Amino acid sequence: MKILIVGGAGYIGSHNVRLFLDRGYEVVIVDNLNTGHMSAVDKRAKFYKCDIRDKAELKAIFEKEQPDGVVHFAALSLVGVSMKQPLEYFSNNVYGMQILLEVMKETGVNKIVFSSSAATYGDVEKMPITEDTPTNPINPYGETKLMMEKMMKWCDMAYGIHYVSLRYFNAAGAYDDSSIGEDHNPETHLIPLILQVPLGKRDHISVFGNDYDTRDGTCIRDYIHIMDLADAHVRAIEYLLKGGESQIFNLGTGDGQSVNEMIVAAEKAVGKPIKKEYAARRAGDPARLIASNKKAKDILGWEPKYSLDKIMETAWLFHQKHPDGYNDK
Ligand code: UFG
């Protein structure tokens, strides 16, 4: 079986490439390397440097490779940046999806697994969040992911392109051998920023708000290991290949950790104290986001396996090995 992975050089994409290859799939990667890293590309996969908005090039790749299915990660994904540059997000994410779906339709590829986000829900009161929770994104990033889901819904009805949309909560951790992991520029995510303190690259971690209505006043998130996410993608493709109908699934552990608890977990992995300072709230941060993962468990038979300790341990190994990230740009 041949799977075309769009955005396979990025954080979540590269870990998926690894697992699909390990599970015996033939993998073709398409990535424009805008935010992805060539160092994260598995040599066993075939690689095309291509921006999916270049229709002629993308179509030629599809015609040549004739994949059995597509897994789509290629998108801009920084919430804060999306507030300042919404048009770039619409172009990369929404227009990119437009071209991808056109090419799939024209080349007869009718299965796609899509990298969506809990950001489609926005600020939700009632936890845990189920797939039926209303979607009200509060930033352009989340809006684009929701628009991309809706594009797939209508293309399913019109052209029979079946999809599985996976709404991730907080992706975290790294591959067990620490060869690949999380490297964003700029880095805005909590775990890599916490680990920059013991690496000597940052004096302290700023905790954005300690006056939330949560057990210790800091924000609660549902951190899910990157290889648990990857496992869900393989299951989703298998589900579609077996003829499953289009679906949306949340991917999270169903458990939430506060920012303070994450710092304690990092101290345990690192083996020394990590200096923190309380700072103002970050605009747009909901107090808590916790997934109900029942649907993914019931339909995909998915079960997250990595503990919080393992998330921190793998992240710490990766950042020790790559203190400046991949350093390949
Ligand atoms: N945080 C800090 N200090 C920091 C960085 C983050 O206290 O220096 C806090 C944030 O306020 C938040 C938590 O740590 O409460 C996690 O923040 P991240 O930036 O790591 O992740 P987010 O929850 O903001 O974002 C994640 C994904 C997004 C997705 C969003 C909503 O990274 O892609 O969840 O689903 F849009």
Side-chain angles (χ1 to χ4, degrees), residues 77-79 116-122 139 141-142 145 168-171 182 184 187-194 202 204-209 212 218-223 257-260 262-263 277 280-282 284-287 289:
S77 64
L78 298 177
V79 170
S116 189
S117 169
T120 51
Y121 293 110
N139 52 62
Y141 165 67
K145 289 280 171 171
Y168 318 144
F169 282 64
N170 287 60
E182 188 168 10
H184 297 109
E187 190 53 79
T188 61
H189 293 91
L190 180 65
I191 298 175
L193 291 175
I194 293 175
R202 174 178 291 273
H204 62 274
I205 178 73
S206 297
V207 177
F208 297 148
Y212 285 96
T218 67
C219 284
I220 292 179
R221 294 287 180 275
D222 183 339
Y223 296 88
Q257 271 81 38
S258 72
V259 175
N260 278 341
M262 292 302 282
I263 297 170
E277 286 185 7
R281 290 182 177 199
R282 186 172 69 177
D285 274 345
L289 286 173

Side-chain angles (χ1 to χ4, degrees), residues 184-326:
H184 297 109
N185 188 13
E187 190 53 79
T188 61
H189 293 91
L190 180 65
I191 298 175
L193 291 175
I194 293 175
L195 296 175
Q196 284 180 4
V197 181
L199 284 171
K201 301 176 81 69
R202 174 178 291 273
D203 172 66
H204 62 274
I205 178 73
S206 297
V207 177
F208 297 148
N210 63 341
D211 56 352
Y212 285 96
D213 181 19
T214 58
R215 51 184 176 258
D216 63 14
T218 67
C219 284
I220 292 179
R221 294 287 180 275
D222 183 339
Y223 296 88
I224 174 82
H225 194 275
I226 192 85
M227 294 312 292
D228 279 330
L229 288 183
D231 179 56
H233 290 71
V234 178
R235 286 170 189 271
I237 274 287
E238 283 167 358
Y239 165 87
L240 288 175
L241 289 170
K242 275 190 229 134
E245 62 186 33
S246 296
Q247 295 280 1
I248 295 174
F249 297 103
N250 286 341
L251 295 181
T253 62
D255 213 7
Q257 271 81 38
S258 72
V259 175
N260 278 341
E261 288 162 355
M262 292 302 282
I263 297 170
V264 171
E267 289 175 332
K268 192 171 157 200
V270 168
K272 55 182 177 191
I274 294 174
K275 189 174 164 194
K276 72 177 176 194
E277 286 185 7
Y278 290 120
R281 290 182 177 199
R282 186 172 69 177
D285 274 345
R288 65 175 80 64
L289 286 173
I290 300 170
S292 160
N293 57 16
K294 187 175 180 311
K295 189 176 170 191
K297 283 181 172 170
D298 288 350
I299 297 179
L300 297 178
W302 179 70
E303 185 75 51
K305 296 196 170 59
Y306 286 77
S307 64
L308 177 62
D309 283 347
K310 195 73 185 163
I311 285 176
M312 278 298 176
E313 198 183 297
T314 54
W316 178 230
L317 278 173
F318 174 77
H319 289 286
Q320 277 176 292
K321 204 166 176 179
H322 307 266
D324 299 312
Y326 291 110

Side-chain angles (χ1 to χ4, degrees), residues 125-151:
E125 281 297 313
K126 195 166 162 277
M127 292 298 133
I129 296 174
T130 70
E131 292 79 359
D132 296 327
T133 299
T135 45
N136 290 302
I138 52 169
N139 52 62
Y141 165 67
E143 193 77 69
T144 61
K145 289 280 171 171
L146 188 58
M147 290 164 84
M148 292 157 89
E149 285 189 352
K150 289 185 174 169
M151 292 164 82

